[in-house]
Amino acid sequence: MQGLNVTRLGSFLALVPTGDTSALSTFAAQVVMSLDAFRKPMSDPELTRRRKAKLTAAQEHHLRAWGYHTSWISSGFTSR
């Protein structure tokens, strides 16, 4: 990682890493997987609400595995 840029992501500002972020992505994935056991299971009403977005098979997998339909696997640390 070379540094950080202030970038607008939707309606907020974020510090977005620049350069090679592979080590940061690996670290973030390890943190998420290590702490996942402490995540509260998603309720059936919440699952139903999130599925209204007509998820792809990959998004459905992420929703079940990590509690959200996107993950660091598909997005990494990039500006959007």
Side-chain angles (χ1 to χ4, degrees), residues 2-4 6 10 13 18 25-26 28 30 32 36 39-40 46 49 51 53 57-58 62-63 67-68 74 76 80:
Q2 294 173 344
L4 298 170
V6 177
L13 295 176
T18 60
S25 293
T26 299
Q30 290 171 345
V32 169
D36 189 61
R39 178 174 53 92
K40 180 181 174 183
E46 181 66 11
R49 184 184 72 77
R51 286 181 172 145
H62 293 318
L63 180 64
Y68 197 69
S74 59
R80 298 190 172 104

Side-chain angles (χ1 to χ4, degrees), residues 1-66:
M1 185 175 90
Q2 294 173 344
L4 298 170
N5 282 338
V6 177
T7 305
R8 182 172 296 280
L9 296 178
S11 62
F12 64 95
L13 295 176
L15 293 174
V16 178
T18 60
D20 180 9
T21 60
S22 58
L24 180 60
S25 293
T26 299
F27 173 70
Q30 290 171 345
V31 169
V32 169
M33 289 187 287
S34 297
L35 296 176
D36 189 61
F38 300 103
R39 178 174 53 92
K40 180 181 174 183
M42 193 173 300
S43 68
D44 287 338
E46 181 66 11
L47 264 173
T48 301
R49 184 184 72 77
R50 290 184 184 256
R51 286 181 172 145
K52 287 182 181 177
K54 307 223 186 301
L55 304 176
T56 66
Q59 290 172 325
E60 176 69 23
H61 171 76
H62 293 318
L63 180 64
R64 290 185 167 276
W66 308 111

